Coordinates of all heavy atoms in Angstrom, one line a residue:
I1 N -0.3 6.4 -17.4 CA 0.8 5.6 -17.9 C 2.1 6.2 -17.5 O 2.3 7.4 -17.7 CB 0.7 5.4 -19.5 CG1 -0.6 4.8 -19.9 CG2 1.9 4.6 -20.0 CD1 -0.8 4.6 -21.4
A2 N 3.0 5.4 -17.1 CA 4.4 5.8 -16.8 C 5.4 5.2 -17.7 O 5.3 4.0 -17.9 CB 4.7 5.5 -15.3
R3 N 6.3 5.9 -18.2 CA 7.5 5.4 -18.8 C 8.6 5.1 -17.7 O 9.0 6.1 -17.0 CB 8.1 6.4 -19.9 CG 7.2 6.6 -21.1 CD 7.8 7.6 -22.0 NE 6.9 7.9 -23.1 CZ 6.9 7.3 -24.3 NH1 7.8 6.3 -24.5 NH2 6.1 7.7 -25.2
L4 N 9.0 3.9 -17.6 CA 9.9 3.6 -16.5 C 11.2 4.4 -16.6 O 11.8 4.7 -15.6 CB 10.2 2.1 -16.5 CG 9.2 1.2 -15.7 CD1 7.8 1.2 -16.3 CD2 9.7 -0.2 -15.6
A5 N 11.6 4.7 -17.8 CA 12.9 5.4 -18.0 C 12.8 6.8 -17.4 O 13.8 7.4 -17.2 CB 13.2 5.5 -19.5
D6 N 11.6 7.4 -17.2 CA 11.4 8.8 -16.8 C 11.5 8.9 -15.3 O 11.5 10.1 -14.8 CB 10.1 9.3 -17.3 CG 10.1 9.4 -18.9 OD1 11.2 9.4 -19.5 OD2 9.0 9.6 -19.4
S7 N 11.5 7.8 -14.5 CA 11.4 8.0 -13.1 C 12.1 6.9 -12.4 O 11.9 5.7 -12.6 CB 9.9 8.0 -12.6 OG 9.9 8.1 -11.2
A8 N 13.1 7.2 -11.5 CA 13.7 6.2 -10.7 C 12.8 5.7 -9.6 O 13.0 4.6 -9.1 CB 15.0 6.8 -10.1
E9 N 11.8 6.5 -9.2 CA 10.8 6.1 -8.2 C 9.7 5.4 -8.9 O 9.3 5.6 -10.1 CB 10.3 7.4 -7.6 CG 9.2 7.1 -6.5 CD 8.5 8.4 -6.0 OE1 8.8 9.5 -6.6 OE2 7.8 8.3 -5.1
V10 N 9.1 4.4 -8.2 CA 8.0 3.7 -8.8 C 6.8 4.6 -8.8 O 6.3 5.1 -7.7 CB 7.7 2.4 -7.9 CG1 6.4 1.7 -8.4 CG2 8.8 1.5 -7.9
V11 N 6.2 4.9 -9.9 CA 5.1 5.8 -10.1 C 4.1 5.1 -11.0 O 4.4 4.2 -11.8 CB 5.5 7.1 -10.7 CG1 6.4 7.9 -9.7 CG2 6.1 7.0 -12.0
V12 N 2.8 5.6 -11.0 CA 1.9 5.1 -12.0 C 1.7 6.0 -13.1 O 1.0 5.7 -14.1 CB 0.5 4.8 -11.3 CG1 0.6 3.6 -10.3 CG2 -0.1 6.0 -10.7
G13 N 2.4 7.2 -13.1 CA 2.5 8.0 -14.3 C 1.6 9.2 -14.3 O 1.1 9.7 -13.3
M14 N 1.5 9.7 -15.6 CA 0.8 10.9 -15.8 C -0.6 10.5 -16.5 O -0.7 9.5 -17.2 CB 1.5 11.9 -16.8 CG 2.8 12.4 -16.2 SD 3.6 13.6 -17.3 CE 5.0 14.1 -16.2
P15 N -1.6 11.4 -16.3 CA -2.9 11.0 -16.9 C -2.8 10.8 -18.4 O -2.0 11.5 -19.1 CB -3.7 12.3 -16.6 CG -3.1 12.8 -15.3 CD -1.6 12.6 -15.5
V16 N -3.6 9.9 -18.9 CA -3.6 9.6 -20.4 C -4.4 10.7 -21.1 O -5.1 11.5 -20.4 CB -4.3 8.3 -20.6 CG1 -3.6 7.1 -20.0 CG2 -5.8 8.3 -20.2
P17 N -4.3 10.8 -22.4 CA -5.0 11.8 -23.1 C -6.5 11.7 -22.9 O -7.1 10.6 -22.7 CB -4.7 11.5 -24.6 CG -3.3 10.9 -24.5 CD -3.4 10.1 -23.3
N18 N -7.2 12.8 -22.9 CA -8.7 12.9 -22.7 C -9.1 12.5 -21.3 O -10.3 12.1 -21.1 CB -9.4 12.1 -23.8 CG -9.1 12.5 -25.2 OD1 -9.0 13.7 -25.5 ND2 -8.8 11.5 -26.1
A19 N -8.2 12.5 -20.4 CA -8.6 12.2 -19.0 C -8.2 13.4 -18.1 O -7.2 14.0 -18.3 CB -7.9 10.9 -18.5
R20 N -9.1 13.6 -17.1 CA -8.7 14.6 -16.1 C -8.8 13.9 -14.7 O -9.7 13.1 -14.5 CB -9.7 15.8 -16.0 CG -9.6 16.7 -17.2 CD -10.4 17.9 -17.1 NE -11.8 17.6 -17.0 CZ -12.8 18.3 -16.3 NH1 -12.4 19.3 -15.6 NH2 -14.0 17.9 -16.3
V21 N -7.8 14.1 -13.9 CA -7.6 13.3 -12.7 C -7.5 14.3 -11.5 O -6.8 15.3 -11.6 CB -6.3 12.5 -12.8 CG1 -6.0 11.9 -11.4 CG2 -6.5 11.4 -13.8
F22 N -8.3 14.0 -10.5 CA -8.2 14.8 -9.2 C -7.9 13.9 -8.0 O -8.3 12.8 -8.0 CB -9.6 15.4 -9.0 CG -10.2 16.2 -10.1 CD1 -11.2 15.6 -10.9 CD2 -9.7 17.5 -10.4 CE1 -11.7 16.4 -12.0 CE2 -10.2 18.2 -11.5 CZ -11.2 17.6 -12.3
V23 N -7.0 14.5 -7.2 CA -6.7 13.8 -5.9 C -7.4 14.6 -4.8 O -7.0 15.8 -4.6 CB -5.2 13.7 -5.7 CG1 -4.9 12.9 -4.4 CG2 -4.5 13.0 -6.9
L24 N -8.4 14.0 -4.2 CA -9.3 14.8 -3.3 C -9.3 14.2 -1.9 O -9.0 13.0 -1.7 CB -10.7 14.8 -3.8 CG -10.8 15.2 -5.3 CD1 -12.3 15.1 -5.7 CD2 -10.3 16.7 -5.5
D25 N -9.7 15.1 -0.9 CA -9.9 14.6 0.5 C -11.3 14.2 0.6 O -12.1 14.1 -0.3 CB -9.5 15.7 1.5 CG -10.3 16.9 1.4 OD1 -11.4 16.9 0.8 OD2 -9.9 18.0 1.9
E26 N -11.7 13.9 1.9 CA -13.1 13.3 2.1 C -14.2 14.4 1.8 O -15.3 14.0 1.6 CB -13.2 12.9 3.5 CG -12.3 11.6 3.9 CD -12.4 11.2 5.3 OE1 -13.1 11.9 6.1 OE2 -11.9 10.1 5.6
A27 N -13.8 15.6 1.8 CA -14.8 16.7 1.4 C -14.7 17.1 0.0 O -15.2 18.1 -0.4 CB -14.5 17.9 2.3
L28 N -14.1 16.3 -0.8 CA -13.9 16.5 -2.3 C -13.1 17.8 -2.6 O -13.4 18.5 -3.6 CB -15.3 16.6 -3.0 CG -16.1 15.3 -2.9 CD1 -17.4 15.4 -3.8 CD2 -15.3 14.1 -3.4
R29 N -12.1 18.1 -1.7 CA -11.3 19.2 -1.9 C -9.9 18.7 -2.4 O -9.4 17.7 -1.9 CB -11.1 20.0 -0.6 CG -12.4 20.6 -0.1 CD -12.2 21.2 1.2 NE -11.7 20.2 2.2 CZ -11.8 20.4 3.5 NH1 -12.3 21.5 4.1 NH2 -11.4 19.4 4.3
P30 N -9.3 19.4 -3.4 CA -8.0 18.9 -3.9 C -6.9 19.0 -2.7 O -6.9 19.9 -1.9 CB -7.6 20.0 -5.0 CG -9.0 20.5 -5.4 CD -9.8 20.5 -4.2
V31 N -6.1 18.0 -2.7 CA -5.0 18.0 -1.6 C -3.7 18.5 -2.3 O -3.6 18.5 -3.5 CB -4.8 16.5 -1.1 CG1 -6.1 16.0 -0.5 CG2 -4.3 15.6 -2.2
P32 N -2.8 19.0 -1.4 CA -1.6 19.6 -2.0 C -0.7 18.5 -2.6 O -0.9 17.3 -2.3 CB -0.9 20.2 -0.7 CG -2.0 20.3 0.3 CD -3.0 19.2 0.0
V33 N 0.3 18.9 -3.4 CA 1.3 18.0 -3.9 C 2.0 17.3 -2.8 O 2.3 17.9 -1.7 CB 2.3 18.7 -4.8 CG1 3.5 17.9 -5.1 CG2 1.6 19.3 -6.0
G34 N 2.1 16.0 -2.9 CA 2.8 15.2 -1.8 C 1.9 14.7 -0.7 O 2.4 13.9 0.1
V35 N 0.6 15.0 -0.7 CA -0.3 14.6 0.3 C -1.2 13.5 -0.4 O -1.7 13.7 -1.5 CB -1.1 15.7 0.8 CG1 -2.2 15.2 1.8 CG2 -0.2 16.8 1.5

């Protein structure tokens, strides 16, 4: 969930409570910030 007031850029926000989120490549490895 994103609070629109918190970002001038269009974002989908930060993970909700009780959720863990991973951004992974095709080998299930975490990608760096911005990738």
Side-chain angles (χ1 to χ4, degrees):
I1 299 177
R3 292 179 185 268
L4 272 64
D6 293 343
S7 176
E9 177 187 10
V10 176
V11 296
V12 295
M14 295 183 176
V16 298
N18 302 317
R20 289 188 298 148
V21 171
F22 305 103
V23 183
L24 308 178
D25 64 16
E26 293 180 353
L28 299 185
R29 297 171 301 197
V31 300
V33 170
V35 175

